[in-house]
Amino acid sequence: MILTGLDWLIIVLYFALSLVVGLAYTRRAGTSAEEYFLSGRRVPWWLAGTSMVATTFAADTPLAVTGLTVKHGIAGNWLWWSMVMSGMLTVFFYARLWRRAGVMTDVEFTELRYAGRPAAFLRAFRAAYLAIPINCIIIGWVTHAMATILGLTLGVGKWEATVVLFVVTALYSTLSGLWGVLVTDFFQFVLAMAGSVALAVFAVNHVGGLSAMLAALNAKYPDGAPLALFPDLGSAWMPALTFFVYIAVNWWASWYPGAEPGGGGYVAQRILSTRDERHALLAALWFNLAHYALRPWPWILVALVSMLLYPGLGNPEEGYVRVMVDHLPPVWRGFLLASFFAAYMSTISTHLNWGASYLINDVYRRFWRHDAGPAHYAGAARLATVLMMVVAGVITYYLQSVEGAWKFLLAIGAGTGLVYLGRWYWWRINAWSEIAAMAGAFVLSLGLQFGAGLNVDDPRGFAWVMLLTVVGTTVVWVAVTYLTPPEPLDHLQRFHAKVKPGGPGWRHVAGPVAAAEGPGVRDLLDWVLGCVVVYLGLFGIGSLLLGSPGRGIAFIVAAVALTALILGGSRKVVLE
C-alpha cells in the first residue's frame, strides 16, 4: 500500500491524540488502585457502554467476520450472534447485582460470595488463570490480526509489528489507567466505525453498487448460500446439531470474553465503574445493542465483495485487508489504517488494564502486600501491565488463526457458565463448585480434543465437544456441591444483605419475604424482548442492505417500539 503525506499525517495525528489523552489522566490514575482500575466509580453509562463496544471491536474482529462470511456465508456469524441471550441476561438480571457488590474485580467477588481457604484459593487461581494464559491469548490473537494487517499494507514483519504495537499501546494505557482507556475508547470507537463504513462504501461501489454486488453473488452462487441469514441445517459446515449447540447451549454454558454468563471480565469492570445501578443497566444495554445490531454489516459487506474480487484465497481473513489495500484512494488509506490502530488499541488497552487489575487486586494486594499505600498499588499495576505485554508478545508470535483461537476458548470454557449464573441465585453453590467446574471443563475439553480425537474445527466435532463437556462438567460440579459443606450461614446472610439477589434459591438463608424480592416475570419478559430487539435490529439493517427494504424498515420500527416498551416497563430502575 502506498501512503501519501496526508495519509501519514492522519496516522500521526491519531497517535498524538492518544498520547495526549494518556498523559492527561496520568496523575489521576496514579493516586490509587481504585482510580487506576475503576475511575473512582464515576463513569456515566454512555461512556462505560461505548468502552465495552470498543473493546470487543479489535483489529481481529473484521478479519474473523470476513473469514466466517467467506467460508460459510452471512449465516456463519451465528458463531457469535448466538451470544445475544447471554448479553441480555447480564443487562436485566446481573448488571445491578454487580454494581451492588461494590468489588474491584469480578474475581474479588469470589470472597464476597464464598468464605474460607477454598474461596481464597479460587480467587488467587482464577485471577492468575484469567490474567496470564487466557488474557494473553486474547491479546495475542488481536495483535496477530493487527500484525497481519500491517504486513499486508506496509510490508512490516510480524515480530517487528508486534513490538511496535505493544510499545505504543502500553505507553498510554500504562500511564493513564481506566480513565484514559475509557476516553480513548470513545473516540477510537467512532474512528474505527467511520473507517469500517468508509471501506464498505468504497468496496461496494467498486463492484457497481449494492444491486450489482447482489446480482454477481447470486450468479456466482445460485443456491444463495452466501446471502442467507440462517444456515442450511443440512449443510456440512452447519448441521442441525451444531446450530442447536450455538443457539441453545453456548450462550449459557460457555465462558467467553465479553459474553460471560452472568457478566464478568471487562464487562463487569465497566459495570463496577459506573455511577450507580441505573447507569450499570443502561451501560450493559447500550453495549449489547451496539455490539450485535449496529456493528457487523460494514464488515460483512466487505467480506461479500472480497468473495467476488479474490475467490480462492488460502486465508479468507486476508480478503478484508486486500480490499483495503487495492481499492481505497489516498487519504482514506491513512484514515482506515488509523481506524485499525484505534480498534486494536482500544481492545489491548482494556485487556492490559483488566488483566493487571487481577494481578494487583486479587493476587499481589490480597496475598503478598496488603498494607501498602494507594500510590504503591498504582505503580505495581503499571509493572503488571508490562509483564502481561511480554507474555502476550510470545503468544502472538505463534498464533496462526483468529477463528481457531475463538473456538479453543469456547471449548475450554464449556460447562462453566451454569455455575456462574447460579451462584447469584442459589445459596448452596460454594467455592468448590466453581473450582470443580473450571477443572472439569478444562480436563474434559482437552481430553475430548486430544484424547478422543474430536476436532473443534469440524462442526460436528465442535458440537460434540461442547455437549459432552457441558454435561460432564455439570455433573461434576453439582456432585461436588452436594459432597462438600455449604458456605457458613452468617457469611451467606451478609452477602444477601449487601447484594440482595433474592429469589427462591435464597429462602434457606433469607427467609420467604426476602427471597420473594428476587427477579420476576417482568425481568424475564424484558430479557426476551431485549433479545428480540437485537435480532430485529440486526436483521432489519441486513434486510435494507440485501434488497428487502420493506422488511428492513418494519423490523427496525418494531425494534424501536420494543425498546421503548422495555425502558418504560423498567422505569423504576432505568428512568428515575
Side-chain angles (χ1 to χ4, degrees), residues 21-31 172 175-177 382:
V21 171
L23 293 174
Y25 287 96
T26 297
R27 175 177 289 184
R28 179 184 292 186
T31 59
Y172 84 84
L175 290 173
S176 61
R382 288 171 172 150

Side-chain angles (χ1 to χ4, degrees), residues 391-441:
V391 175
V394 175
I395 292 174
T396 299
Y397 189 74
Y398 290 100
L399 270 180
Q400 299 299 319
S401 169
V402 173
E403 183 185 347
W406 279 14
K407 288 183 176 179
F408 176 76
L409 275 193
L410 274 174
I412 65 172
T416 59
L418 193 57
V419 74
Y420 297 140
L421 294 171
R423 63 186 180 177
W424 296 90
Y425 292 115
W426 185 27
W427 72 276
R428 189 59 180 81
I429 289 177
N430 58 32
W432 290 112
S433 307
E434 284 200 35
I435 294 170
M438 291 179 65

Side-chain angles (χ1 to χ4, degrees), residues 118-139:
F121 168 78
L122 175 60
R123 179 177 178 179
F125 172 78
R126 187 164 171 77
Y129 174 72
L130 292 177
I132 301 298
I134 298 301
N135 193 43
C136 289
I137 286 174
I138 298 167
I139 294 173

Side-chain angles (χ1 to χ4, degrees), residues 61-376:
T61 321
L63 272 64
V65 169
T66 297
L68 290 170
T69 304
V70 171
K71 289 191 287 186
H72 309 307
I74 295 173
N77 290 282
W78 277 100
L79 174 65
W80 62 286
W81 286 349
S82 60
M83 295 295 185
V84 167
M85 286 78 81
S86 178
M88 283 297 166
L89 272 184
T90 301
V91 173
F92 296 110
F93 286 84
Y94 297 102
R96 286 167 282 180
L97 300 182
W98 277 116
R99 188 60 185 83
R100 290 174 201 163
V103 293
M104 184 173 290
T105 68
D106 60 320
V107 174
E108 183 183 345
F109 171 82
T110 300
E111 288 195 290
L112 178 67
R113 173 63 176 82
Y114 311 123
R117 290 184 178 180
F121 168 78
L122 175 60
R123 179 177 178 179
F125 172 78
R126 187 164 171 77
Y129 174 72
L130 292 177
I132 301 298
I134 298 301
N135 193 43
C136 289
I137 286 174
I138 298 167
I139 294 173
W141 87 48
V142 173
T143 306
H144 163 78
M146 190 65 199
T148 299
I149 292 167
L150 293 181
L152 292 172
T153 56
L154 302 180
V156 180
K158 184 175 182 179
W159 187 245
E160 293 83 357
T162 299
V163 172
V164 171
L165 289 168
F166 277 166
V167 169
V168 171
T169 307
L171 182 61
Y172 84 84
S173 58
T174 301
L175 290 173
S176 61
L178 187 60
W179 267 122
V181 172
L182 292 169
V183 174
T184 51
D185 273 358
F186 185 79
F187 85 80
Q188 286 168 347
F189 174 67
V190 173
L191 179 62
M193 279 304 299
S196 297
V197 171
L199 179 59
V201 170
F202 282 112
V204 170
N205 286 342
H206 181 77
V207 295
L210 283 172
S211 298
M213 180 193 75
L214 295 174
L217 286 169
N218 285 322
K220 188 176 180 65
Y221 304 95
D223 61 357
L227 300 176
L229 296 177
F230 292 90
D232 175 5
L233 299 185
S235 61
W237 74 272
M238 184 64 86
L241 176 65
T242 306
F243 189 63
F244 169 80
V245 167
Y246 281 150
I247 65 170
V249 179
N250 270 0
W251 62 269
W252 60 265
S254 291
W255 182 94
Y256 187 79
E260 298 91 340
Y266 55 79
V267 171
Q269 184 192 38
R270 298 305 190 272
I271 290 171
L272 290 165
S273 72
T274 55
R275 294 173 178 172
D276 52 35
E277 293 177 32
R278 168 180 173 269
H279 283 265
L281 185 147
L282 288 174
L285 180 60
W286 164 235
F287 161 56
N288 282 279
L289 291 173
H291 176 59
Y292 292 106
L294 299 182
R295 287 191 325 182
W297 287 104
W299 308 330
I300 292 172
L301 289 177
V302 174
L304 294 174
V305 170
S306 75
M307 295 173 69
L308 297 174
L309 298 180
Y310 311 105
L313 274 180
N315 180 5
E317 293 178 359
E318 292 182 2
Y320 192 93
V321 186
R322 290 184 180 273
V323 173
M324 170 183 166
V325 170
D326 295 343
H327 303 293
L328 274 181
V331 177
W332 281 105
R333 295 171 185 168
F335 185 86
L336 197 71
L337 267 180
S339 75
F340 263 111
F341 279 117
Y344 169 80
M345 292 169 68
S346 65
T347 298
I348 298 303
S349 60
T350 284
H351 279 276
L352 290 173
N353 184 274
W354 166 50
S357 72
Y358 289 149
L359 294 179
I360 300 306
N361 185 65
D362 301 301
V363 179
Y364 180 68
R365 181 161 67 177
R366 171 62 179 84
F367 296 100
W368 288 349
R369 185 76 183 276
H370 58 271
D371 56 351
H376 172 84

Side-chain angles (χ1 to χ4, degrees), residues 467-485:
L467 288 173
L468 293 174
T469 303
V470 167
V471 172
T473 301
T474 303
V475 170
V476 167
W477 76 255
V478 171
V480 168
T481 298
Y482 282 107
L483 291 172
T484 53

